Structure formats: structure tokens, C-alpha cells
């Protein structure tokens, strides 16, 4: 299978040298003399791998690498530069690079690394396809809340979570904190369970996500127990076992407000505590 490599470097001599080396290796070379040109080419032709120089005018290689990673989350990036300090190395990987070569570039070494990363990318694509076919509800999310990929079963769920600023922030805090095995995210009408699987690479996280089908419906509770809409929403989450803090997060109100709602609910239902209130809901569930 032919490999298409996009090389972004402001040096015409370097581009010519790499063009010859890649062509002789049976690869298709796409050449760009600046980051802007390279990104335009990438959008149109979707290369299999990027080779990016660090020191370029206007948009440097670090910024270019970051922009590539945003648009092409799974495509390998090989960073090449004359910089050899550890800070530059760390920065390159932080911006999304998969590999790092120092100049002067040895064409044979570059070809070897391209083949390695391309095979690895194909293995990942094959695994992703297998997961899609197996109907697994899995997704890969970066530590800053960016979706890297998701199986069809998980895509709708994770889109619903990431489009909510509140839920996205909860997910980011969970991924970057001391992770429990599960994260519950709740709305009035939807509840999600997220199970942590493993740290895949470069602070990307493999997650399994499921939607919990509601056992109780706010409209039914409101009608049968003669409570307000908000009180019925509180009772839905109460019946699903959430503590006051969890109910507050789900409804985006303060725990003290939840406490006040519960006080009114107890009076209306003729009960003394949350357990008795839950029992009332269970009777109509």
C-alpha cells in the first residue's frame, strides 16, 4: 500500500532531499514550504503521515503540529529540528508529535521511522474497525476533553456530554484527577455511566460509555404525587440513588436548594426522610 507523506519545511534544499528519498522508497511526497500551505494540502489530500520542521517563520513547527493534531487526531507526526534540548523535545510531544528527529536528517532513518509509524497507525485503524464491528461503546478522549475517536455506539453519547460545558468540565476534572472506576453524568432526562479502561498514549484515555435507561419519569411523578416540576426532577434523581450533591450537579442548582426542595417534598408526601420519599416513588415506578 502506497504511503503519502506530507513534508512541511521552509528549506527548499531540505524539501528536495526528502522528496528524492521518499520517492526512491516508493512513497508519495507532498511538499509545503510553510505551515499554512501544509495545512491546506492536508485538508485536501489527507496524508498518511506528517514530517514537520520546528523552525519556520510566521507559524512555527510546534504550533503547526498542534493544529495538525486538532484536525488529524490519529495521523502520525514526525518532528524534525536542529533543537536538541529537553524542553524542545517535551514541547514537541506535548503538541502532539509521535516522534522526533534531529538535523541533519538521515534519509534511511526517516524512512524506517515513517514505515514504523504508518504500520502502527494501520494497526490502530484495524483495531478501531474491529471495535466498531463488535458494537462496543468505546471512545478515546484526550485529557483536555477532545474526542480522538469513538465507535458509532459511543459517538452520540460522548457528543451529548462534550457539547455541554458543565458535563465537559466534569469529564476533564475526572480524567485529570484521581480517577474512580466510574463517572456518572446526569441530566433531567438522561444519565450516563463512564467506565475508565486505560491510558492509551500521551494522556489519551480509553473509556466505555453507557446510557442508563431511566427507571422513573418526572412527568409521571409530578402527576401522581402532586409535586412541582422541579420537585419531580429532584425525586427522579433521588430514586436513582444520587446524594444531594449529585442531584445538585445534575440539575445545576446548589445543594442547599436541593435540601429546601426535599423539605417541601417530605411535607407533600407525608414522609420524614429521603428513604421514605424514595419508597413513595418506587411504589409508582
Amino acid at each position: 500500500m502506497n504511503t503519502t507523506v506530507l513534508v512541511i519545511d521552509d528549506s527548499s534544499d531540505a524539501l528536495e532531499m526528502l522528496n528524492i528519498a521518499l520517492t526512491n522508497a516508493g512513497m508519495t511526497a507532498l511538499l509545503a514550504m510553510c505551515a499554512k500551505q501544509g495545512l491546506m494540502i492536508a485538508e485536501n489530500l489527507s496524508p498518511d503521515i506528517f514530517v514537520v520542521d520546528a523552525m519556520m517563520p510566521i507559524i512555527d513547527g510546534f504550533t503547526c503540529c498542534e493544529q495538525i493534531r486538532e484536525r488529524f487526531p490519529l495521523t502520525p507526526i514526525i518532528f524534525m529540528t536542529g533543537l536538541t534540548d529537553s524542553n524542545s523535545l517535551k514541547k514537541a510531544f506535548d503538541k502532539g508529535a509521535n516522534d522526533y528527529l534531529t538535523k541533519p536528517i538521515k534519509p534511511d532513518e526517516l524512512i524506517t521511522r515513517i514505515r514504523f509509524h504508518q504500520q502502527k497507525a494501520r494497526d490502530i485503524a484495524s483495531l478501531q474497525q474491529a471495535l466498531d464491528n463488535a458494537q462496543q461503546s468505546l471512545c478515546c478522549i484526550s485529557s483536555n476533553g477532545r474526542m480522538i475517536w469513538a465507535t458509532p455506539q459511543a459517538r452520540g453519547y460522548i457528543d451529548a456530554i462534550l457539547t455541554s460545558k458543565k458535563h465537559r468540565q466534569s469529564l476533564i476534572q475526572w480524567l485529570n484527577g484521581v480517577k474512580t472506576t466510574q463517572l456518572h453524568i446526569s441530566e433531567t432526562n438522561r444519565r450516563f455511566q463512564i467506565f475508565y479502561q486505560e491510558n492509551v498514549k500521551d494522556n489519551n484515555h480509553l473509556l466505555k460509555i453507557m446510557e442508563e435507561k431511566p427507571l422513573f419519569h418526572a412527568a409521571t411523578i409530578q402527576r401522581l404525587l402532586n409535586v412541582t416540576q422541579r420537585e419531580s426532577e429532584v425525586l427522579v434523581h433521588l430514586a436513582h440513588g444520587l446524594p444531594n450533591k449529585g442531584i445538585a450537579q445534575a440539575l445545576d442548582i446548589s445543594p442547599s436548594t436541593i435540601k429546601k426542595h426535599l423539605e417541601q417534598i417530605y411535607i407533600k408526601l407525608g414522609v420524614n426522610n429521603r428513604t421514605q420519599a424514595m419508597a413513595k416513588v418506587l411504589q409508582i415506578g
Side-chain angles (χ1 to χ4, degrees):
M1 184 181 294
N2 184 265
T3 299
T4 300
V5 183
L6 174 55
V7 183
I8 307 174
D9 194 324
D10 63 325
S11 167
S12 57
D13 290 339
L15 288 178
E16 180 61 24
M17 182 267 290
L18 293 177
N19 180 39
I20 293 171
L22 293 169
T23 301
N24 289 341
M27 301 178 183
T28 298
L30 304 174
L31 309 177
M33 294 198 69
C34 66
K36 183 177 180 180
Q37 182 188 18
L39 290 167
M40 289 176 60
I41 292 173
E43 292 287 355
N44 289 325
L45 298 176
S46 299
D48 297 308
I49 195 162
F50 292 87
V51 177
V52 181
D53 183 37
M55 305 305 293
M56 294 187 291
I58 305 177
I59 301 176
D60 65 21
F62 297 100
T63 303
C64 178
C65 186
E66 185 175 34
Q67 293 177 356
I68 291 170
R69 186 54 67 227
E70 285 291 330
R71 301 181 198 186
F72 301 89
L74 295 177
T75 305
I77 303 171
I78 297 177
F79 211 68
M80 57 182 186
T81 179
L83 302 171
T84 57
D85 60 285
S86 58
N87 287 336
S88 296
L89 175 64
K90 181 180 183 303
K91 186 176 180 181
F93 285 115
D94 286 345
K95 296 299 183 181
N98 298 90
D99 208 340
Y100 188 102
L101 287 175
T102 55
K103 292 185 174 182
I105 299 299
K106 300 175 182 178
D108 289 345
E109 182 179 0
L110 176 61
I111 297 299
T112 298
R113 297 202 185 198
I114 287 174
R115 287 175 173 155
F116 169 78
H117 288 293
Q118 183 55 21
Q119 184 58 53
K120 189 174 181 181
R122 287 171 180 157
D123 290 343
I124 292 172
S126 296
L127 176 60
Q128 185 178 347
Q129 185 62 51
L131 291 171
D132 289 352
N133 294 338
Q135 298 185 336
Q136 292 290 313
S137 185
L138 298 171
C139 59
C140 185
I141 305 294
S142 69
S143 292
N144 62 2
R146 177 169 54 88
M147 183 173 69
I148 307 301
W149 62 265
T151 62
Q153 291 72 28
R155 185 172 296 276
Y157 299 153
I158 199 64
D159 283 346
I161 292 169
L162 294 180
T163 52
S164 165
K165 184 178 180 180
K166 178 183 69 174
H167 296 334
R168 181 189 183 94
Q169 190 60 38
S170 296
L171 179 61
I172 291 172
Q173 289 176 351
W174 182 62
L175 291 176
N176 290 281
V178 179
K179 287 177 284 295
T180 55
T181 55
Q182 295 182 40
L183 172 67
H184 292 269
I185 290 183
S186 301
E187 297 179 329
T188 299
N189 298 317
R190 304 185 79 179
R191 281 170 51 85
F192 299 101
Q193 275 185 301
I194 303 176
F195 301 88
Y196 193 84
Q197 304 295 300
E198 62 179 294
N199 189 314
V200 181
K201 176 184 175 293
D202 300 334
N203 291 318
N204 295 328
H205 308 276
L206 181 65
L207 310 175
K208 183 176 183 179
I209 181 169
M210 299 174 63
E211 182 172 12
E212 297 179 13
K213 299 302 180 183
L215 301 175
F216 312 96
H217 299 275
T220 303
I221 292 172
Q222 181 180 357
R223 177 170 53 85
L224 295 180
L225 296 183
N226 195 28
V227 294
T228 67
Q229 179 180 344
R230 179 59 91 186
E231 289 167 350
S232 71
E233 293 168 353
V234 171
L235 282 168
V236 166
H237 294 297
L238 179 71
H240 281 97
L242 264 66
N244 286 9
K245 184 177 179 181
I247 299 173
Q249 291 175 341
L251 299 179
D252 199 21
I253 54 181
S254 69
S256 61
T257 302
I258 295 298
K259 184 178 179 181
K260 291 178 181 178
H261 281 308
L262 286 172
E263 290 171 354
Q264 292 301 311
I265 287 170
Y266 297 161
I267 293 172
K268 290 182 179 181
L269 300 187
V271 300
N272 297 317
N273 53 53
R274 62 191 297 121
T275 303
Q276 293 174 354
M278 186 184 296
K280 288 281 188 179
V281 178
L282 291 173
Q283 289 174 6
I284 65 170

